[in-house]
Amino acid sequence: MKNLLFLFCLVSLQAMGQSTFLSGKVTDAETGESLIGVNLMLDDSLGAVTDVTGSFTILLKAGNHTLKASFIGYETYVMDLDIKARSEEH
């Protein structure tokens, strides 16, 4: 089976640091080719699918999460995430 490669970027919201966008791109680990239609599941409840550039965005709250990515012909990829809430300074 082939392996998936993830590139991530966290973008914080202004809403008291309670939610964050998890954005990234999924590519083939060997060829670097963007993968279209990769299924992403966050905590077995919230999902997303990569677009034509292999990119995705998921809104999540601070805390511990499990992200699973699956795609036909590839090994399922599982990653544990620990998203910290930002403290607001006055």
Side-chain angles (χ1 to χ4, degrees):
M1 287 243 181
K2 294 183 176 186
N3 292 315
L4 301 173
L5 177 66
F6 280 84
L7 303 173
F8 289 108
C9 177
L10 289 175
V11 181
S12 295
L13 291 177
Q14 298 298 324
M16 306 279 249
Q18 297 301 314
S19 297
T20 298
F21 283 109
L22 174 65
S23 298
K25 184 173 184 173
V26 182
T27 61
D28 182 288
E30 292 180 20
T31 67
E33 179 184 357
S34 297
L35 297 176
I36 302 166
V38 176
N39 293 305
L40 300 152
M41 288 295 294
L42 186 67
D43 301 325
D44 293 326
S45 63
L46 181 64
V49 177
T50 57
D51 64 14
V52 295
T53 65
S55 300
F56 67 93
T57 300
I58 300 174
L59 179 64
L60 58 127
K61 295 185 183 220
N64 295 315
H65 302 281
T66 300
L67 179 67
K68 294 179 187 177
S70 60
F71 193 59
I72 296 173
Y74 288 78
E75 290 182 30
T76 297
Y77 184 90
V78 179
M79 175 185 279
D80 291 322
L81 304 171
D82 182 13
I83 308 299
K84 305 281 188 206
R86 273 191 348 193
S87 60
E88 298 291 327
E89 295 183 22
H90 294 94

